[in-house]
Amino acid sequence: MAERPNEQAPDQSRRSFLKYTGTAIGGAVVGGVIGSAVSGGFKKSAGEPSPSPSSSAAPQAQGPSDFNQAPMFFNQQQLQIAEAAAERIFPKDDKYPGATDLAVAFYIDHQLASPWGVNARTYRMGPFVKGEATQGDYQSIERHELITMGLNTLEETSKTKHSKSFTELAPEEQDAILTSMEKGEINVVNGITGKTFFNLFRVLVMEGVYSDPLYGGNKNMAGWKMRKYPGNQMSYTNVVDKDAFVAMEPRSLHDHFVH
């Protein structure tokens, strides 16, 4: 009679599989506390010190990235020219930050990358004729084209007059070119004067200084802090009945989304 195999003998291959996959304890996580127990990680003598984790193996903690401080439309040269021009329109002083510190160029960049930059909700049918001074501008080109062409004109004018990039000019030289643009003495393209560019660019600069930081400018709400503006508070019920001015720490829309 042939000898029957021992039914109590362990199935080594199956046990090994369960051991290293964690299935034996109903999980698929191996390497933590459970995984160590399954693989014999607790087999050590009493009083044996646990090895301290290597500092080189631990991932380095990094601060949160500020994705608002990234260009979405401009190339690097355009961003730098926009930053330099914005700083001359809203320069820093001994007490308050200027357009550069407030990240105004990023606000402008983000606006041009948005539907606003392509005049998405603007009537775009011709004829495109020059209107009266009281009628405002009605251009055949889109806003992002006007701004980028205006920045290119700043650069070309700078190189023609000073053989240097606009970003390399002294502040008074930058002011002189911007003043010529503001007066309409420099054309941008197809009869569109620098005044048209300057007027729109200046509006964008001021928006970048004072808009909610959610949109890319007014970094750290410093523009609001200059004016003691409270920003987007959830409620004013605790101060509405006070006669004296109440200074409040400003809040961004971003604060409400996160918290």
Side-chain angles (χ1 to χ4, degrees):
M1 179 176 176
E3 183 180 0
R4 291 184 64 185
N6 185 0
E7 295 181 357
Q8 302 301 320
D11 184 343
Q12 295 296 332
S13 61
R14 182 171 180 271
R15 290 184 65 187
S16 297
F17 173 78
L18 295 176
K19 173 181 177 180
Y20 291 112
T21 61
T23 309
I25 53 175
V29 179
V30 178
V33 175
I34 294 175
S36 299
V38 173
S39 60
F42 290 140
K43 293 180 180 179
K44 62 178 181 179
S45 60
E48 180 180 350
S50 299
S52 59
S54 172
S55 59
S56 60
Q60 297 296 321
Q62 297 181 354
S65 300
D66 187 351
F67 296 106
N68 269 347
Q69 307 302 301
M72 299 179 180
F73 178 81
F74 287 143
N75 59 38
Q76 283 299 315
Q77 183 186 44
Q78 292 168 339
L79 183 68
Q80 291 168 5
I81 296 171
E83 185 176 74
E87 181 68 19
R88 297 315 305 152
I89 293 174
F90 197 90
K92 68 182 299 183
D93 58 23
D94 295 336
K95 189 175 181 181
Y96 296 115
T100 299
D101 293 333
L102 292 168
V104 167
F106 288 103
Y107 169 82
I108 297 173
D109 170 88
H110 296 356
Q111 291 301 299
L112 298 184
S114 74
W116 180 88
V118 295
N119 299 60
R121 297 192 177 186
T122 305
Y123 180 78
R124 301 292 295 145
M125 299 296 290
F128 297 95
V129 297
K130 183 175 178 59
E132 300 296 329
T134 56
Q135 293 178 310
D137 296 318
Y138 181 55
Q139 305 299 330
S140 59
I141 62 175
E142 297 170 350
R143 295 185 184 102
H144 73 93
E145 294 174 311
L146 174 59
I147 295 299
T148 52
M149 289 178 179
L151 295 176
N152 291 339
T153 300
L154 288 178
E155 183 72 355
E156 293 169 1
T157 303
S158 175
K159 290 183 175 179
T160 299
K161 289 188 174 182
H162 304 284
S163 299
K164 290 189 289 188
S165 171
F166 184 82
T167 59
E168 299 172 337
L169 298 181
E172 57 272 15
E173 294 172 330
Q174 292 175 335
D175 289 347
I177 294 178
L178 287 169
T179 299
S180 295
M181 295 282 278
E182 182 182 17
K183 293 180 178 179
E185 298 172 351
I186 301 175
N187 286 331
V188 174
V189 63
N190 296 335
I192 298 176
T193 67
K195 183 176 182 178
T196 301
F197 158 77
F198 182 89
N199 288 343
L200 179 59
F201 188 80
R202 182 182 181 277
V203 168
L204 288 170
V205 169
M206 301 311 294
E207 288 178 356
V209 171
Y210 294 117
S211 65
D212 193 288
L214 186 69
Y215 300 105
N218 190 12
K219 187 175 181 179
N220 299 324
M221 294 177 281
W224 289 347
K225 292 174 183 177
M226 286 190 291
R227 300 290 183 178
K228 294 183 172 57
Y229 178 68
N232 295 289
Q233 302 287 333
M234 288 295 290
S235 173
Y236 296 94
T237 55
N238 60 329
V239 298
V240 70
D241 59 344
K242 298 184 182 298
D243 295 329
F245 176 80
V246 178
M248 306 176 69
E249 187 68 19
R251 297 199 59 172
S252 164
L253 290 170
H254 177 270
D255 298 331
H256 303 307
F257 293 152
V258 172
H259 303 296

